[in-house]
Each structure stands twice: as C-alpha cells, then as structure tokens.
Amino acid sequence: AQSVTQLDSQVPVFEEAPVELRCNYSSSVSVYLFWYVQYPNQGLQLLLKYLSGSTLVESINGFEAEFNKSQTSFHLRKPSVHISDTAEYFCAVKAWGSQGNLIFGKGTKLSVKP
Amino acid sequence: DTEVTQTPKHLVMGMTNKKSLKCEQHMGHRAMYWYKQKAKKPPELMFVYSYEKLSINESVPSRFSPECPNSSLLNLHLHALQPEDSALYLCASRGPGEGSPLHFGNGTRLTVT
C-alpha cells in the first residue's frame, strides 16, 4: 500500500518570497508522483508530474518539484510566489503496475500575503 | 477552462428529494471517476468506471447511484441523502497509460437540508 504525507497543513509567505511545500511518500513499489492545485471553488488542476527520467520536473507557471528516491520525497518549490498562487496544494502517488488509483496527501494551504 | 464539465455548479436538496449530477468529457478518456471532497480535506474516491463499466465502488452507500450512459457521460443519482452528504462532488477522467493524470471538473457544490 502507498501513503502520502504533506508535512505542513498551512504555509503563509509574503509575496515574492520563495516557498517549499513538502511531500513524502511511502511505497514498497515504484510510484508515479503528482502535484495538484485547487483554487477556491474549483476542481483540482494538475500542476506537474513525475513519471520517469529527469528527477526535476517543472510547470509552466514557475513551480518545480524534485523526485528524491532515497528520501522518498517530492517537494514542490517556487523561487518567488505571487498573490495568485494562494491555493490548496495536494501531493498524490500512484503505484506502478497497479489498477489502484491516486492516493492523495491531506493538502497544504499556501497563503501568499502582500 | 476545464475539459471536464460538471452540472449543476450548485445544488440544494432536501432529504427526500431525488436529483442527479452530470459530468461530460470529450477527450476520449475511457476511465471516469466520482470523488467526494469535504472542506479542507483531500478528495475521497467513490466510484470508477472503465470502458463504461463500474470497476470500483469504494463501499459507497446505496443512496448514491452512478451511471455511465456512454464513454463521454457520467451521472451520479442522489436519493434520500443525509446532511452529512453535503460536500463538493468532483468528476474526473483519465487517459490511457499507467501514469496518465486525472483531469478534474470544477465540481458540484451539494447542500443537503
């Protein structure tokens, strides 16, 4: 079985500051990793994903995440946040070769203050 | 804009009512999902359809009844709901390939009175 731990339920930061949202996972098999973002009153949107290959993955809006197999982590980073980045962020995993579905972390609320 | 469309956006219903939530996608995805999301919580999987057949039911009470009329449509029929069923109901679809991500709609905000 897989599990996902998002270590911070809330992360307040000031605009233009860097941010890191932490995600650790547990799995006995290899996994696919995802970050989703949910803005107020909306569904979840895929931010980025790690399937294989380069361990650093980037999104079009400046976020990046690095897969670290030894530390079983997939932390999300952005060097300079904007007010519009205020949202809930969910880390999720899916096991290779399984019919199973995404296992979500509990989410991290990023609040960007002016 | 989302490629998965859900209607209605908001729904208020009494405990004796019957209503339906609708979901539509035109990406050619053959896997479709219903999730329930309570405030400040991650989505919880309810049902999965694969090629129009129900493949996963996460022990959801029978007052929730899913239906997949064709590969583009997914319905969730509601009957005799309880106030604790109030939540955001999310539909999602997924393309082929193990690592394909879920594509979510914007959800239906359901309030049971």
Side-chain angles (χ1 to χ4, degrees):
Chain A
Q2 293 76 45
S3 66
V4 180
T5 302
Q6 291 184 244
L7 296 164
D8 305 298
S9 60
Q10 297 184 61
V11 174
V13 294
F14 288 105
E15 194 173 18
E16 299 183 5
V19 71
E20 178 180 80
L21 306 184
R22 295 179 292 170
C23 173
N24 287 88
Y25 69 92
S26 173
S27 177
S28 58
V29 299
S30 296
V31 296
Y32 303 107
L33 294 154
F34 305 86
W35 275 100
Y36 284 85
V37 58
Q38 186 174 31
Y39 299 103
N41 301 312
Q42 292 189 24
L44 280 71
Q45 301 175 28
L46 179 69
L47 194 56
L48 44 76
K49 61 184 178 184
Y50 173 77
L51 304 182
S52 64
S54 173
T55 57
L56 184 65
V57 290
E58 299 177 352
S59 72
I60 57 173
N61 57 357
F63 282 95
E64 64 179 31
E66 186 160 19
F67 169 56
N68 188 319
K69 188 174 182 179
S70 63
Q71 297 186 8
T72 59
S73 68
F74 191 53
H75 301 332
L76 182 69
R77 302 185 184 96
K78 189 170 185 179
S80 176
V81 294
H82 303 290
I83 298 286
S84 59
D85 292 323
T86 294
E88 190 84 26
Y89 290 79
F90 293 99
C91 182
V93 302
K94 181 180 180 298
W96 283 22
S98 77
Q99 292 295 323
N101 296 288
L102 285 186
I103 306 299
F104 285 96
K106 292 187 175 181
T108 297
K109 176 63 186 295
L110 175 64
S111 299
V112 182
K113 306 173 188 300
Chain B
D1 288 341
T2 178
E3 296 167 311
V4 177
T5 303
Q6 290 188 245
T7 56
K9 292 185 178 180
H10 302 275
L11 178 63
V12 179
M13 60 185 291
M15 290 188 286
T16 59
N17 292 159
K18 285 185 180 180
K19 296 287 184 182
S20 296
L21 310 184
K22 297 186 183 299
C23 174
E24 188 170 6
Q25 58 89 14
H26 293 288
M27 294 178 281
H29 292 172
R30 304 308 294 273
M32 296 186 74
Y33 302 70
W34 279 115
Y35 282 85
K36 173 182 177 181
Q37 187 180 27
K38 302 285 273 186
K40 301 186 188 300
K41 298 287 187 183
E44 299 173 25
L45 183 64
M46 300 175 72
F47 302 104
V48 181
Y49 273 84
S50 180
Y51 290 86
E52 295 97 70
K53 293 186 178 179
L54 183 64
S55 60
I56 295 178
N57 177 341
E58 291 286 349
S59 303
V60 179
S62 60
R63 57 185 184 270
F64 295 91
S65 175
E67 178 196 19
C68 190
N70 60 55
S71 59
S72 300
L73 295 174
L74 187 65
N75 298 322
L76 186 63
H77 303 296
L78 314 172
H79 174 54
L81 294 193
Q82 303 298 310
E84 58 265 29
D85 295 322
S86 298
L88 181 67
Y89 287 84
L90 294 164
C91 174
S93 68
R94 191 168 71 87
E98 272 192 353
S100 294
L102 290 175
H103 295 256
F104 285 88
N106 281 330
T108 294
R109 176 74 61 188
L110 174 68
T111 303
V112 182
T113 61

